[in-house]
Amino acid sequence: RSLVAPKCLQNKILSLIDEQIAIAKEGKEAYIGIKINSLTDKVIIEKLVEASMSGVKIDMIIRGISCMVAGIAGYTDNITITSIVGRFLEHSRIYIFGKGADMKMYISSADFMTRNTLRRVEVATPIYDDKIKQRIRDMFGLMMKDNMQARIQQPDGTYLKQIGRAHV
């Protein structure tokens, strides 16, 4: 089912994060992967912090603005924020909730900004086909392994190039 702002995109994202929090509280592996251009929606940020504090592993690729700082002990230490800025303007947005057979994946037009989640018409569409899901997951994993353009956010808010990292 598609998520359409301004009616249900933010609320559904919060619900999907809550599902991963519940999985983590059961002692199971919980995961969120997000690829967006900007993160400024305070309500979503607070829910992501709650997820991190509950043990959900969160990988975020945020090209531009991020109003969250990753890696703060006891707070956002389960969150990794990577910025990849290359030669070309990158517009893809991917939302991944869970792993394996229970994974829910969306591609979207919306960044996690209040103007996108509550004030504009934006759409996130689910991916149901397993082959397409795997292809998108592989692309996300490739971006997470980038050791040329990627910069990893540090707990002090700075970004450092990380060479030879293996992730995802």
Side-chain angles (χ1 to χ4, degrees), residues 26 55 66 70 108 131 145:
E26 292 174 2
S66 174
S108 181
K131 287 181 183 178
K145 291 178 185 176

Side-chain angles (χ1 to χ4, degrees), residues 6-141:
K7 293 291 184 188
C8 72
L9 187 118
Q10 185 193 63
N11 287 340
K12 184 60 176 171
I13 294 298
L14 297 174
S15 175
L16 290 162
I17 297 169
D18 277 334
E19 287 177 16
Q20 293 306 304
I21 291 170
I23 290 168
K25 287 182 177 180
E26 292 174 2
K28 299 176 185 172
E29 183 180 18
Y31 179 78
I32 298 171
I34 302 291
K35 198 269 179 212
I36 53 179
N37 286 335
S38 299
L39 173 65
T40 64
D41 186 313
K42 191 173 183 177
V43 175
I44 293 176
I45 290 169
E46 289 171 356
K47 185 59 72 174
L48 289 168
V49 170
E50 180 185 342
S52 173
M53 292 172 66
S54 298
V56 179
K57 171 70 176 136
I58 303 169
D59 288 323
M60 299 176 63
I61 301 168
I62 304 173
R63 183 181 185 276
I65 299 166
S66 174
C67 291
M68 173 188 286
V69 177
I72 298 172
Y75 191 64
T76 58
D77 49 344
N78 285 311
I79 299 175
T80 301
I81 295 178
T82 302
S83 176
I84 303 174
V85 179
R87 184 173 164 194
F88 303 103
L89 185 59
E90 177 59 49
H91 278 294
S92 65
R93 290 155 185 98
I94 302 167
Y95 314 153
I96 302 166
F97 300 93
K99 288 191 171 187
D102 295 327
M103 179 194 322
K104 293 178 183 173
M105 179 183 288
Y106 295 81
I107 56 174
S108 181
S109 63
D111 288 314
F112 288 172
M113 305 174 76
T114 305
R115 75 177 189 197
N116 294 91
T117 59
L118 295 178
R119 294 191 193 115
R120 290 185 180 172
V121 175
E122 301 275 1
V123 177
T125 188
I127 304 299
Y128 295 117
D129 184 275
D130 289 335
K131 287 181 183 178
I132 295 172
K133 272 186 179 179
Q134 188 57 52
R135 187 166 180 194
I136 293 170
R137 185 72 180 105
D138 290 346
M139 285 187 271
F140 186 86

